[in-house]
Amino acid sequence: GAGVSQSPSNKVTEKGKDVELRCDPISGHTALYWYRQRLGQGLEFLIYFQGNSAPDKSGLPSDRFSAERTGESVSTLTIQRTQQEDSAVYLCASSRKTAVTPVAYGYTFGSGTRLTVV
Amino acid sequence: DAKTTQPTSMDCAEGRAANLPCNHSTISGNEYVYWYRQIHSQGPQYIIHGLKNNETNEMASLIITEDRKSSTLILPHATLRDTAVYYCIVRSDGLTFGKGTHLIIQP
């Protein structure tokens, strides 16, 4: 597609329920990133995929958070047993990445999913 | 990835040049400097990036010091629509955003 697409754009869920957030990256972009942005805060890195593998999961805040990517395309971020502190905008970005370093390509971000846990 | 330091906020008069500084003293030789901005309620938008040389595009100019330990993003003729949070990031792989600089363009 022309840009990074995220769905849903808004999600209101009850505390304790599970949610799935979806990201469709730009076709051909092998690198995919998930970020969280709480109200008034900067971007917080969550997880990074290169292809279907996640070499860096260090940013996932707890074991309630998981993510997967299939076909080097769509990625899903799952939050189990949601808590009120999970309320935030979840942003996805994709980037081309080749085997050659240094990496010089920029990122394209989606518009985010606004998650509200009530 | 190297860390970056930016002022929390800055004001600039409409029509003037906005100069946003960024310190990245731990940058390594193969790390690029990227600038993004985020207008309220939108996803971050790419502005410009560079390695060693100064860069210019239709949005902005990027001035990188010779030792690469700091850089300045220049918006040559700021407009009210340039009010946003500006993020300076340094990456070789992965991506880490700080809190950025909240630039407020005053009419």
Side-chain angles (χ1 to χ4, degrees):
Chain A
V4 177
S5 177
Q6 291 187 247
S7 60
S9 55
N10 278 286
K11 176 72 176 178
V12 180
T13 190
E14 292 181 354
K15 179 181 173 181
K17 294 284 180 71
D18 298 351
V19 294
E20 280 190 357
L21 311 180
R22 177 185 168 109
C23 173
D24 283 273
I26 291 174
S27 178
H29 279 196
T30 58
L32 185 148
Y33 302 79
W34 282 98
Y35 292 84
R36 176 170 72 176
Q37 188 171 33
R38 291 189 168 119
L39 187 65
Q41 303 292 314
L43 290 167
E44 177 186 4
F45 169 79
L46 297 179
I47 190 169
Y48 152 62
F49 286 93
Q50 180 57 35
N52 295 328
S53 301
D56 187 355
K57 301 180 183 179
S58 62
L60 293 177
S62 76
D63 58 8
R64 296 187 295 105
F65 286 72
S66 64
E68 65 174 16
R69 188 179 185 198
T70 57
E72 297 196 356
S73 179
V74 173
S75 177
T76 303
L77 177 69
T78 302
I79 309 173
Q80 296 177 309
R81 306 181 302 280
T82 52
Q83 304 293 315
Q84 287 184 329
E85 63 261 28
D86 298 334
S87 295
V89 175
Y90 289 82
L91 286 159
C92 173
S94 72
S95 170
R96 283 188 294 162
K97 181 176 168 75
T98 69
V100 177
T101 57
V103 181
Y105 301 117
Y107 297 80
T108 303
F109 280 83
S111 297
T113 294
R114 183 175 299 278
L115 176 66
T116 304
V117 182
V118 298
Chain B
D1 290 343
K3 287 189 176 179
T4 61
T5 305
Q6 298 177 254
T8 304
S9 66
M10 292 180 63
D11 287 353
C12 179
E14 188 178 18
R16 304 296 292 267
N19 296 281
L20 291 89
C22 179
N23 286 323
H24 31 80
S25 58
T26 61
I27 193 171
S28 62
N30 63 348
E31 289 182 315
Y32 281 71
V33 180
Y34 283 84
W35 283 83
Y36 286 78
R37 73 179 181 184
Q38 189 172 25
I39 295 170
H40 183 61
S41 298
Q42 299 180 20
Q45 175 192 23
Y46 166 83
I47 301 173
I48 199 166
H49 76 282
L51 182 63
K52 295 181 182 178
N53 299 321
N54 298 336
E55 302 288 344
T56 295
N57 62 20
E58 65 278 4
M59 288 183 69
S61 294
L62 174 61
I63 308 298
I64 302 174
T65 58
E66 192 170 341
D67 63 7
R68 302 208 326 119
K69 292 187 177 182
S70 66
S71 61
T72 302
L73 178 75
I74 301 172
L75 307 178
H77 305 287
T79 71
L80 296 178
R81 287 175 291 183
D82 292 324
T83 292
V85 178
Y86 287 76
Y87 295 97
C88 166
I89 59 173
V90 174
R91 71 167 294 211
S92 56
D93 198 355
L95 186 62
T96 302
F97 283 81
K99 292 192 175 179
T101 297
H102 188 192
L103 176 67
I104 301 171
I105 306 301
Q106 305 282 2

